[in-house]
Amino acid sequence: MADHGRHNHPISVSPNRPNSVRFQREFVPVTGYFIPTQPMRRFLIIAARTVLAVLSFAAVGLLAFAGWLVWHYDYDMGLPTEAQLAAIAPTGPACRTDPKRAYIPLVDIPPLLRDAAIAYEQPDFYEAWSLNPIAEIAFAVGTGRSPRPAGITQSVARCLLSLSPGTDRQIDPIASIFFMQRVTRNLSRDRILEIYLNESYRGRGAYGVAAGAEAYFGKPLPDIDVDEIAFITARARQPNPSRSFDTRSRDHVIDRMQTAGLISETQAAAAKSRLLLLKDTTGAQAQPVNQ
């Protein structure tokens, strides 16, 4: 017997009638996915925990090593302290005191000479962040090379070691990085540059660019030309060249000056074409060298 719906249509209740609806649940196997078994899941969990533990121990070890580095190079080696660096006068000699040695404030040094030193030794001198010892050490380890050079800062840091008795000597690269960071943290970049230009050795017993201009050319600092600026700048790296001077190092500095936009191509060509005239060490008039 059939029931009747709202509009008096018969509704079949037999599952075998054509208008019946049958709902069946079918399980379709999923392909392309790996479903780990219970033992495999247990193994993966244990492996993940083991890796996490190893990484945690490595992080703790790295922090401990970093702490040891800071303690060793900040306190154990006897490097000049931040208080000693902060006590340096805003101008004047910082490493060596010699009343006979001329000291030129940075504002009185020709701008081209200042910029040439930066272009040759440390082009990012003003733009670079203060040195980070851990980052520099990681860079050296990761690249297999020595820490990145910082000519001006490194030279001044080596000079300032004399502030602490017993440390005026060669120190290892890591100690040098730590101390350079301390120097850049306590001295302005202008002050560091002023110390560099006045106290770096230029050969012939000359410390600083003013003494170098007199020793090599018999001229006061404001009177030296482009080629002479380049020569004195190069002497910071080669204070004791062979007795036979040549123009290669001078011309290399001239190229750096041109690349940095300090001089034009015409000025660079003219400077390279000039004879290298050096004052004789006995005080005689400058004579051509390696014509």
Side-chain angles (χ1 to χ4, degrees):
M1 180 177 178
D3 294 329
H4 293 274
R6 182 176 180 182
H7 298 288
N8 205 27
H9 294 296
I11 300 176
S12 174
V13 294
S14 173
N16 295 322
R17 296 284 299 275
N19 62 346
S20 67
V21 180
R22 177 178 296 175
F23 296 93
Q24 295 182 350
R25 300 181 64 183
E26 296 183 358
F27 293 90
V28 180
V30 179
T31 60
Y33 294 93
F34 172 72
I35 302 177
T37 60
Q38 186 68 20
M40 179 62 74
R41 286 198 296 270
R42 186 179 299 111
F43 170 78
L44 292 175
I45 292 173
I46 294 174
R49 290 177 176 175
T50 303
V51 171
L52 182 60
V54 171
L55 292 177
S56 299
F57 279 116
V60 172
L62 182 60
L63 289 174
F65 178 67
W68 178 84
L69 283 177
V70 172
W71 172 82
H72 177 66
Y73 290 108
D74 266 2
Y75 305 104
D76 190 43
M77 288 196 66
L79 298 174
T81 64
E82 295 202 12
Q84 288 175 298
L85 294 176
I88 294 176
T91 190
C95 307
R96 306 170 183 87
T97 55
D98 185 350
K100 298 180 181 179
R101 187 178 302 165
Y103 192 95
I104 312 298
L106 186 63
V107 294
D108 295 331
I109 296 176
L112 184 58
L113 179 53
R114 301 198 307 254
D115 294 338
I118 294 172
Y120 180 61
E121 288 288 359
Q122 196 175 347
D124 63 347
F125 175 71
Y126 278 105
E127 291 78 14
W129 293 92
S130 297
L131 294 169
N132 185 313
I134 304 302
E136 293 297 322
I137 295 169
F139 170 83
V141 173
T143 59
R145 296 180 295 178
S146 299
R148 288 173 284 191
I152 294 174
T153 309
Q154 191 170 17
S155 176
V156 172
R158 191 181 303 117
C159 174
L160 292 174
L161 286 174
S162 60
L163 294 176
S164 182
T167 60
D168 190 7
R169 53 182 172 78
Q170 187 70 27
I171 58 176
D172 64 77
I174 298 178
S176 178
I177 293 173
F178 269 91
F179 189 56
M180 281 192 288
Q181 184 205 35
R182 187 177 299 173
V183 170
T184 57
R185 196 167 54 233
N186 288 274
L187 299 178
S188 70
R189 298 302 169 94
D190 282 349
R191 182 63 171 124
I192 293 173
L193 181 61
E194 181 182 280
I195 295 171
Y196 171 78
L197 293 173
N198 277 280
E199 305 203 43
S200 58
Y201 186 60
R202 307 281 162 158
R204 288 193 174 183
Y207 285 88
V209 290
E214 176 61 37
Y216 288 106
F217 303 109
K219 294 182 177 181
L221 200 56
D223 294 344
I224 58 177
D225 297 318
V226 171
D227 61 309
E228 295 166 338
I229 286 175
F231 181 85
I232 293 174
T233 300
R235 295 280 70 79
R237 290 190 190 179
Q238 298 174 310
N240 297 304
S242 62
R243 296 185 62 180
S244 179
F245 288 88
D246 59 43
T247 59
R248 287 176 296 181
S249 58
R250 179 201 69 177
D251 292 350
H252 180 57
V253 178
I254 292 173
D255 289 336
R256 290 285 187 90
M257 294 168 69
Q258 181 186 345
T259 301
L262 305 179
I263 56 176
S264 66
E265 183 177 354
T266 302
Q267 289 175 303
K272 289 182 180 180
S273 66
R274 295 190 62 181
L275 295 177
L276 180 57
L277 301 175
L278 300 181
K279 186 180 76 171
D280 187 80
T281 54
T282 60
Q285 186 64 30
Q287 299 294 326
V289 177
N290 285 5
Q291 297 188 35

